[in-house]
Amino acid sequence: MTVLTGALAYAGMPGAAGAPNTRSTAAVLPPVVPQPESERALKGPGFTIGAETPIIVKSSDPDSREVGRYLGRLLRPATGYDLKVEAGRRDHRPAITLDRGGPKSLGEEGYTLTSRAEGVRLTARGAEGLFRGIQTLRQLLPAAVESPTVQRARWTVAPVHITDKPRYGYRSTMLDVARRFYPVADVKRYIDQAAAYKMNTLHLHLTDDQGWRIAIDALPNLTKAGASTQSGFTGGSWFYTKAQYQEIVAYAKSRFITVVPEIDGPGHTSAAQASVPDINCDDKTIPPYSGFDVKISVVCLRDPQHIANVSKFLTTVMTEVAALTPGPYIHVGGDEVPARPAEEYKAYVQAATSAVQAQGKKVIGWHDLSAGTIPAGSLMQYWGDEDARETIGTAEEHKDILLARKGVAQNASFIMSPADRSYLDMKYDSSTPYGLRWAGYVPVKNAYDWDPTTVTAKPDGTSPVVPANQIAGVEAALWADRAYTGSNELPTSTSQFVEPSVYTDFMAFPRLPAVAEIGWSPKSTHDWTRFSSRLAAQGPRWKAAGIGFYAAPDVPWANGS
Ligand code: TNX
């Protein structure tokens, strides 16, 4: 693997030779996040896009043509150009060429990109690789390209040759639309932000104590009682209709992002229990919950009749959710259940996993789910932190580690989302207005400085509980328990709640790109100093795009950004 050939410094790095399109003798690499697998600065001026530049798609494949149109739409607001998308032909005009004739070695998501004075050529195996490559192309242009209004700039693509493909195939981010409801437009905005950093999965936490967010035709009360609350709010109707959910799924698909819906249980179920009587032991609904606690609920699994009721409920829900979800996975939750006999938990795992499998879908669960019997091919999402790591190999291993061992023994693969690294709802530091700190503060450096292979290893990096070949990827999870200002206390007024996009911008930027890089870039490129300097170069892009990011003190932002 070639890495950073010709790299002397990143543009913008202290001591670097200036902006990428400034002429200089030193080979300066344009700063790209996530770091491409291999990148070489080319001599010469790079390619300047003009109003007449065609986007040539060398393929009749409709998905690739659509990616060409996506590129045109992306470039239009800031450049003011309405670039024409043309079919591939032998042609000597300067152009942006999208070619799907790339070598097999690139895989589905890989691409090569070459920018020279004569043009930009992006090569991949298909539409998905072309789309990922376009996310790199954006970052080779001046930051102003991210602006929603026409800007005066010279639209030069930095001269570079890149060959790139991801380290992990599962790169996800999670939105907690249950604690705080996100209108469809906010979800789409977040999808675009995640796609820009080459994430390929959106995990939607659709159900929790504070709300049920997806319409189920056979159980209309789930979106009457169950959708009437959020954390801190009552009396609404906060859910996605089937059409809206499908709109989200289709939008995500157009950005090559797969939606993974989560129906959490047997805990985090107050909204369901407020809507469906017979999943409660007294067969009566409970009042809807709008508070801020966790570990407060569990469906009734005490006797065969109630286990049957819960199974029926799950079958109904999973049947309808699976029908709306083209992706291969459904997340069944499994976290934070109040103490109950182990057999009850196992009965739930059995009911939930068979309901998912009956629809031809694969199971994802929080790592807790490994306490039960999980089907072959399941993914466990590990959310333990440093406290768990410290007990590895001791006589009293932390329960998260014991559960991870059970998942490994059942041949599950793992999604790594260590709470002290990739939980975007943790505060950066004591000044962060939103969020929690049960896993500690998560400054940008911590969100970046970790590796999936050592999340379940001893602090010295040895004896990993989850072997490297059972790691599917990573997730940056943005919970919304505390999506209001003054979150060291419970809120006293709804005016403390901010718009979902204000919360996501602040908590996800710059940490989402950090986790995205962990999922995408080769481990050999891991380097905090280099990363933080490339991240700093994203600041002007986020400004141009109107992203209200946190200008974290551990990132060397350029003056004035
Ligand atoms: C733990 S991590 C939870 C969530 C909370 C989150 C807040 C996990 C599987 N469950 O219910 O929202 O902490 O950080």
Side-chain angles (χ1 to χ4, degrees), residues 325-348:
T325 304
Y329 290 107
I330 295 185
H331 199 306
V332 303
D335 58 318
E336 295 179 324
V337 184
R340 287 290 185 283
E343 290 316 311
E344 294 190 15
Y345 188 85
K346 287 184 183 169
Y348 189 87

Side-chain angles (χ1 to χ4, degrees), residues 176-480:
D176 174 3
V177 298
R179 272 59 172 270
R180 184 88 171 101
F181 181 66
Y182 286 63
V184 172
D186 291 291
V187 180
K188 288 182 176 175
R189 183 170 187 271
Y190 194 70
I191 287 170
D192 278 323
Q193 292 174 343
Y197 292 96
K198 302 189 176 74
M199 292 293 211
N200 65 6
T201 305
L202 175 69
H203 168 188
L204 286 178
H205 185 71
L206 288 170
T207 72
D208 212 302
D209 292 313
Q210 296 86 349
W212 184 282
R213 305 292 177 223
I214 176 91
I216 303 294
D217 294 337
L219 293 166
N221 210 32
L222 280 171
T223 43
K224 286 205 186 86
S228 68
T229 44
Q230 303 182 53
S231 284
F233 295 87
T234 58
S237 179
W238 292 296
F239 69 98
Y240 305 120
T241 64
K242 290 194 161 176
Q244 287 174 326
Y245 176 79
Q246 285 173 305
E247 188 184 333
I248 292 170
V249 168
Y251 192 84
K253 185 164 180 275
S254 74
R255 270 70 179 153
F256 296 87
I257 286 183
T258 304
V259 170
V260 173
E262 179 183 354
I263 305 296
D264 200 357
H268 292 283
T269 43
S270 299
Q273 292 176 261
S275 312
V276 180
D278 71 1
I279 58 173
N280 295 293
C281 287
D282 61 3
D283 296 315
K284 293 196 177 95
T285 55
I286 64 170
Y289 181 75
S290 59
F292 297 84
D293 288 335
V294 295
K295 266 200 174 183
I296 56 168
S297 59
V298 58
V299 294
C300 187
L301 299 154
R302 203 185 280 166
D303 54 75
Q305 182 59 54
H306 284 96
I307 291 174
N309 296 351
V310 168
S311 291
K312 183 161 175 261
F313 166 74
L314 287 169
T315 297
T316 303
V317 169
M318 297 305 182
T319 303
E320 294 197 26
V321 170
L324 301 171
T325 304
Y329 290 107
I330 295 185
H331 199 306
V332 303
D335 58 318
E336 295 179 324
V337 184
R340 287 290 185 283
E343 290 316 311
E344 294 190 15
Y345 188 85
K346 287 184 183 169
Y348 189 87
V349 176
Q350 168 61 32
T353 58
S354 48
V356 167
Q357 283 193 294
Q359 300 308 313
K361 299 293 186 189
K362 292 193 207 172
V363 170
I364 301 183
W366 298 106
H367 68 248
D368 317 58
L369 207 75
S370 305
T373 303
I374 52 172
S378 298
L379 294 182
M380 292 294 101
Q381 183 168 359
Y382 184 78
W383 58 283
D385 62 15
E386 191 66 37
D387 293 348
R389 213 154 31 233
E390 278 164 3
T391 67
I392 295 172
T394 67
E396 281 187 49
E397 288 191 324
H398 192 282
K399 67 171 187 350
D400 293 345
I401 296 298
L402 296 173
L403 286 161
R405 289 194 189 285
K406 288 193 175 173
V408 170
Q410 297 189 70
N411 248 319
S413 287
F414 281 70
I415 303 159
M416 292 301 182
S417 57
D420 55 348
R421 304 291 177 158
S422 76
Y423 267 26
L424 303 179
D425 67 314
M426 292 299 125
K427 291 174 182 292
Y428 292 89
D429 54 44
S430 60
S431 76
T432 309
Y434 324 114
L436 285 160
R437 49 169 295 189
W438 64 262
Y441 294 127
V442 181
V444 182
K445 186 171 196 293
N446 291 23
Y448 176 74
D449 247 345
W450 61 283
D451 192 81
T453 60
T454 51
V455 165
T456 59
K458 288 183 180 176
D460 69 359
T462 64
S463 316
V465 171
V466 178
N469 63 2
Q470 276 173 259
I471 298 176
V474 300
E475 180 172 290
L478 182 48
W479 297 100

